[in-house]
Amino acid sequence: MYRSHNCGELRASHIDTEVTLSGWVQKSRDKGFIIWIDLRDRYGVTQLVFDEERTPKAVFSQAESLGREFVIQVKGTVIERASKNPNLPTGDIEVLVKELTVLNTSLLPPFTIEDQTDGGDELRMKYRYLDIRRNPVKNNLIFRHKVAQAVRNYLSSKDFIEVETPYLIKSTPEGARDFVVPSRMNEGQFYALPQSPQTFKQLLMVGGMDKYFQIVKCFRDEDLRADRQPEFTQIDCEMAFVEQEDILDTFEGLTRHLLKEINGVDVAKFPRMTYDDAMRQYGNDKPDIRFGMQFGELNEVSQHKDFNVFNTAELVVGIAIPGGNSLTRKEIDQLTDWLKRPQIGALGMVYVRCNDDGSYKSSVDKFYDETDLKQWAEITKAKTGDLICVLSGNTNKVRAQLSALRMEMATRLGLRKPNEFAPLWVVDFPLLEWDEDTKRFHAIHHPFTSPKPGQLELLDTNPSEVKANAYDLVLNGNEIGGGSIRIHDRATQAIMLKHLGFTDEQAKAQFGFLMDAFEFGAPPHGGIAFGLDRLVAILGGQETIRDFIAFPKNNSGRDVMIDAPAPLDDEQLKELHLKLNI
Ligand code: ASP
């Protein structure tokens, strides 16, 4: 038996008990005549004591030679500590060691296994198994497990069935490139790894499963933006005989349950916002509504003077930064430079100081008088002491730029509090989006999303006006879930694919199986998928999803620990028909 107890469980009530513990040497303090060792495992740390008088000589000298991260087993007696440590659950006791077995030695770890480590990101990833021994990473993994467990319990209690779907499939378009796997048995043919189990969960509805979920890996070969992983986990869900309202209700329930169970937070009914309103008020389809700073559109009150920049702009829009009037001229210039960086790309910024005496002072005083500025303040809801920041230009670009400024200022002002939760549903997304590169319409959600009732005809005349039965769940400025009510008949699906530029043959080759299934009594259905990695990070009050993934990949999609991806040898390539003539 390696252990009678773990390293986190001994208390004063165990005093005088004979115990066996196993774990890692966290640190040792050698005072010459007495040695203390902190023994660590997943459950905690227990102090071991070896002293010249009470510990057998051989054991004492063995203890002297132990290095950090050695794996040891000890037998001894639980005794009361002379100086107790109230910060440690096991801090009332220590174990006086009589027997010591070194189960394994360890090289000196390349970084310290402490809560605050001296290891940089790359090093920690290379030795991720050592990183996992550290509390912050370990606790994140345990936290993730708890969230996943709560999801499973909740959905199971609502009659959802977890069903596994295959990983070796055919392309399911979710807007990214596929990872592909060559087939050895079918020369020249490839599987695609699922970008999501979308088509399979719909087929499960045709199969009568009624309520499905799966905590499932998805694979998307995208250029990795910060904090994206090429493989990530979804809580994927689908329900039959539902309308949008049923889905919102069910998954608002799940989210509320998680916030309560995991964070102890009660959240009232989630607000709903249309996509158009989100864009107009926040410049963003995933608004962080923990704070205000809503957009005020200023076209009507700014395009009547000789200021050409505004007069020629499609949109003039501003936000009031609370207390922003305390910024110095230099700080405002720095903010303007920040907006002009290529990542954001604003051409410039007009600002208005809202002075304490109720007067206004703007960077465009030449063009606008007090009456104009007062109107701007009313529309942006600026108060005395605020700074109104105004951008202008192409609507989509300006909204994105001002949204970036809004988020940046909220971060600087400490308004994005990690333990405050403000979920909302964004609904009525457009169905299609024009893509300049391919000169085609793309499905904003995916090609299986149904248009709002009665809008199918609009597809021919005004495709970009068509709204979808699609919704996103947004939490603290992050899209944590998204889904839609699906098309469930062949004819509509065919029309949809036609508008997305598929020829009949292409549609049949790629999605024939789904359209065939629709002809065998497909029930009305819809669903949603949550990004588990991000959800867990947000509930954990943290920013980076990588910290909640046991073995994540770096920004170039590499696993630096196992060194993947890697080349294949010629034999294997030949077998896979990827290299001929060798
Ligand atoms: N398959 C979709 C996605 O991955 C979610 C859904 O529509 O249910 O975003």
Side-chain angles (χ1 to χ4, degrees):
M1 186 178 68
Y2 278 112
R3 51 189 172 183
S4 59
H5 296 79
N6 65 47
C7 294
E9 86 179 283
L10 297 174
R11 302 284 183 272
S13 59
H14 293 95
I15 286 169
D16 292 334
T17 315
E18 299 295 311
V19 296
T20 307
L21 300 181
S22 292
W24 287 264
V25 174
Q26 169 84 21
K27 65 173 178 236
S28 87
R29 278 165 295 140
D30 189 342
K31 294 267 181 221
F33 58 96
I34 189 160
I35 302 169
W36 282 286
I37 286 181
D38 284 350
L39 190 68
R40 182 195 70 236
D41 68 8
R42 194 186 98 195
Y43 308 93
V45 169
T46 299
Q47 179 164 292
L48 309 177
V49 57
F50 304 76
D51 81 40
E52 266 183 338
E53 281 174 18
R54 292 178 291 175
T55 307
K57 241 193 172 41
V59 174
F60 190 84
S61 55
Q62 226 185 340
E64 283 176 319
S65 66
L66 293 176
R68 263 164 52 198
E69 302 305 314
F70 275 39
V71 189
I72 61 171
Q73 181 195 40
V74 294
K75 288 188 197 308
T77 316
V78 182
I79 59 173
E80 186 174 4
R81 268 209 221 187
S83 58
K84 303 203 169 29
N85 180 351
N87 299 322
L88 206 63
T90 60
D92 285 348
I93 56 93
E94 55 193 0
V95 173
L96 179 64
V97 178
K98 295 196 193 98
E99 277 177 50
L100 165 66
T101 312
V102 175
L103 299 173
N104 214 341
T105 59
S106 171
L107 296 174
L108 193 67
F111 49 85
T112 54
I113 314 290
E114 304 277 349
D115 290 5
Q116 298 290 336
T117 178
D118 54 359
D121 260 4
E122 198 77 5
L123 197 62
R124 286 174 40 214
M125 290 306 154
K126 187 163 164 50
Y127 298 94
R128 185 63 162 174
Y129 45 89
L130 296 179
D131 207 23
I132 291 171
R133 290 187 194 163
R134 298 170 52 241
N135 282 323
V137 183
K138 176 193 80 184
N139 290 339
N140 282 352
L141 295 183
I142 296 172
F143 184 79
R144 183 189 177 107
H145 163 77
K146 270 194 199 149
V147 176
Q149 201 68 1
V151 169
R152 286 204 163 93
N153 288 343
Y154 183 84
L155 292 177
S156 305
S157 78
K158 301 279 175 206
D159 282 341
F160 283 78
I161 303 287
E162 185 161 19
V163 183
E164 290 171 78
T165 52
Y167 283 156
L168 295 174
I169 63 165
K170 206 150 91 165
S171 178
T172 295
E174 295 275 3
R177 255 179 240 108
D178 290 319
F179 280 102
V180 296
V181 179
S183 165
R184 179 182 57 80
M185 290 193 284
N186 303 274
E187 183 169 348
Q189 300 195 351
F190 296 81
Y191 301 100
L193 299 181
Q195 293 183 35
S196 82
Q198 184 60 39
T199 47
F200 285 95
K201 65 173 170 176
Q202 293 192 237
L203 292 171
L204 285 171
M205 294 305 107
V206 182
M209 282 311 289
D210 201 58
K211 290 177 178 173
Y212 142 95
F213 85 104
Q214 183 180 194
I215 296 188
V216 61
K217 272 289 173 72
C218 301
F219 306 85
R220 296 186 189 176
D221 187 4
E222 290 177 290
D223 295 330
L224 299 177
R225 277 177 274 151
D227 213 25
R228 285 268 186 136
Q229 291 281 316
E231 55 175 299
F232 60 96
T233 307
Q234 283 189 344
I235 308 164
D236 191 45
C237 312
E238 196 77 4
M239 301 168 82
F241 304 110
V242 285
E243 294 172 340
Q244 173 164 312
E245 200 55 39
D246 302 303
I247 302 265
L248 300 197
D249 222 50
T250 305
F251 293 98
E252 185 165 325
L254 170 66
T255 312
R256 195 177 286 120
H257 173 77
L258 293 177
L259 285 166
K260 179 80 195 161
E261 180 100 352
I262 306 289
N263 298 85
V265 174
D266 284 304
V267 184
K269 191 159 171 53
F270 298 1
R272 305 217 180 144
M273 196 181 289
T274 63
Y275 169 87
D276 288 344
D277 282 347
M279 295 308 286
R280 213 176 0 251
Q281 292 169 18
Y282 299 94
N284 196 316
D285 62 3
K286 43 180 192 310
D288 191 339
I289 57 167
R290 280 174 295 181
F291 54 94
M293 280 197 252
Q294 287 179 14
F295 286 19
E297 296 194 348
L298 303 173
N299 289 38
E300 275 180 25
V301 291
S302 70
Q303 293 184 324
H304 59 301
K305 294 286 172 72
D306 285 338
F307 189 44
N308 234 357
V309 176
F310 281 3
N311 292 347
T312 56
E314 195 183 353
L315 179 68
V316 183
V317 60
I319 52 171
I321 297 177
N325 193 22
S326 62
L327 293 176
T328 62
R329 173 64 200 269
K330 195 167 152 217
E331 286 168 331
I332 296 177
D333 287 345
Q334 282 166 352
L335 208 55
T336 311
D337 290 342
W338 182 88
L339 279 166
K340 284 181 171 171
R341 290 172 318 144
Q343 298 94 307
I344 300 196
L347 296 174
M349 180 180 90
V350 164
Y351 65 86
V352 183
R353 289 182 174 286
C354 306
N355 294 321
D356 288 345
D357 61 7
S359 67
Y360 298 97
K361 173 98 190 95
S362 84
S363 56
V364 282
D365 274 351
K366 256 204 314 213
F367 302 101
Y368 298 100
D369 57 28
E370 197 78 14
T371 327
D372 297 321
L373 300 180
K374 196 162 183 282
Q375 281 182 308
W376 297 12
E378 268 162 27
I379 293 171
T380 58
K381 302 199 177 67
K383 295 192 285 297
T384 51
D386 290 356
L387 182 78
I388 307 173
C389 296
V390 184
L391 301 183
S392 62
N394 165 279
T395 300
N396 290 342
K397 284 188 184 158
V398 167
R399 282 178 173 167
Q401 293 156 0
L402 195 63
S403 168
L405 179 67
R406 176 177 177 270
M407 295 299 266
E408 172 69 15
M409 291 319 292
T411 305
R412 291 192 197 178
L413 293 168
L415 301 174
R416 306 190 66 196
K417 301 195 182 87
N419 47 11
E420 199 177 303
F421 296 98
L424 78 147
W425 289 105
V426 176
V427 297
D428 299 353
F429 276 79
L431 186 70
L432 303 172
E433 172 179 56
W434 181 253
D435 183 42
E436 261 311 311
D437 294 339
T438 55
K439 302 267 179 252
R440 276 202 297 173
F441 277 104
H442 278 220
I444 287 199
H445 191 52
H446 51 54
F448 317 109
T449 296
S450 64
K452 287 240 167 253
Q455 302 220 332
L456 199 58
E457 294 66 38
L458 253 186
L459 268 179
D460 287 321
T461 51
N462 211 344
S464 50
E465 288 299 303
V466 179
K467 295 282 190 243
N469 270 324
Y471 32 79
D472 274 358
L473 183 56
V474 175
L475 181 58
N476 296 359
N478 298 281
E479 180 208 321
I480 58 162
S484 61
I485 298 297
R486 327 298 184 188
I487 296 166
H488 66 280
D489 66 282
R490 180 172 204 128
T492 313
Q493 190 62 68
I495 294 175
M496 204 39 218
L497 291 172
K498 193 176 92 205
H499 278 90
L500 294 172
F502 288 82
T503 62
D504 283 351
E505 293 74 51
Q506 286 168 334
K508 198 157 184 272
Q510 228 181 316
F511 304 114
F513 65 95
L514 184 67
M515 302 213 277
D516 289 348
F518 285 170
E519 294 193 288
F520 288 94
H525 60 285
I528 190 168
F530 290 78
L532 180 67
D533 309 287
R534 168 120 316 110
L535 176 64
V536 169
I538 297 172
L539 296 179
Q542 293 181 36
E543 303 255 305
T544 13
I545 66 171
R546 217 182 280 176
D547 295 342
F548 289 86
I549 297 174
F551 299 106
K553 299 202 167 35
N554 74 6
N555 277 348
S556 346
R558 295 200 73 81
D559 183 322
V560 293
M561 182 181 64
I562 60 172
D563 200 19
L568 296 181
D569 59 36
D570 283 349
E571 258 325 292
Q572 217 173 345
L573 287 173
K574 194 174 154 202
E575 210 171 46
L576 294 168
H577 319 288
L578 294 176
K579 189 161 193 163
L580 307 170
N581 311 323
I582 46 169

